[in-house]
Amino acid sequence: MKKFDFWVIWLNIVSVFFTLFGILLALFNQTSFFDVLFNNNINSVFWGNTSIAIEMLHFQQWIYGVLGATCAGWGIIIWFIVNNSFKKMEHWAWNCILTGILLWFVFDESISLYFKVYFNAAFNLVLILAIIVPLVCTRKYFDDKKRHNVRKKER
């Protein structure tokens, strides 16, 4: 398998995973599955072992629903960029994914660390690595002078 194609498939898998995660988070964030996967790791940071008022649970359900919808949309956008302009090695697509992921990471990671939500900070690290590694490994394909020569060598 060609190296570039491997990373395209990798990014497709990451984008589909993130889309599915977002849909699940939006629809099932107050289920026992998400309690184990997500809520128990975050709720304890803010409320310790105390029960959460029903109003707070409703707010949490809404905010996780909005977050999940955003994640799902972001995953779809990455999928379309990867399968169109990124696959054609258009430089803007590489820059778009890199800029978007770095902007997200700096803010999300800083806020997570500030509030000591280390579970989310760790999740962020896994996600950024899953996207940054393929970007680093495909960078040479987006250099206009080298792009065609590198592609020919792999064939």
Side-chain angles (χ1 to χ4, degrees), residues 77-147:
I77 289 168
I78 290 175
W79 189 88
F80 273 99
I81 290 171
V82 167
N83 285 291
N84 290 285
S85 296
F86 188 91
K87 207 177 213 181
K88 294 175 187 172
M89 299 176 196
E90 295 177 13
H91 199 264
W92 77 267
W94 192 92
N95 286 336
C96 179
I97 295 171
L98 177 69
T99 304
I101 195 76
L102 289 178
L103 180 69
W104 157 78
F105 182 77
V106 166
F107 281 95
D108 197 319
E109 193 71 358
S110 298
I111 292 166
S112 295
L113 292 172
Y114 177 81
F115 285 102
K116 298 181 172 97
V117 185
Y118 300 122
F119 170 80
N120 196 64
F123 182 78
N124 291 345
L125 286 173
V126 170
L127 185 58
I128 196 165
L129 286 174
I131 295 175
I132 287 291
V133 168
L135 290 179
V136 169
C137 291
T138 59
R139 179 67 183 107
K140 65 184 175 187
Y141 297 94
F142 292 86
D143 182 354
D144 288 333
K145 294 176 186 174
K146 296 179 184 176
R147 167 169 76 184

Side-chain angles (χ1 to χ4, degrees), residues 4-80:
F4 184 80
D5 295 333
F6 170 81
W7 292 116
V8 167
I9 291 168
W10 177 285
L11 287 170
N12 277 322
I13 291 168
V14 170
S15 66
V16 167
F17 166 79
F18 208 64
T19 300
L20 293 175
F21 172 78
I23 291 168
L24 291 173
L25 181 61
L27 299 176
F28 303 108
N29 62 66
Q30 294 301 311
T31 63
S32 57
F33 173 74
F34 264 92
D35 284 345
V36 171
L37 179 71
F38 204 73
N39 296 334
N40 294 345
N41 293 304
I42 294 174
N43 292 357
S44 61
V45 173
F46 295 101
W47 296 288
N49 293 327
T50 61
S51 295
I52 303 170
I54 192 72
E55 295 84 8
M56 289 302 297
L57 285 174
H58 286 152
F59 174 77
Q60 186 180 56
Q61 187 173 16
W62 171 76
I63 203 70
Y64 284 170
V66 171
L67 175 61
T70 302
C71 291
W74 188 62
I76 291 293
I77 289 168
I78 290 175
W79 189 88
F80 273 99

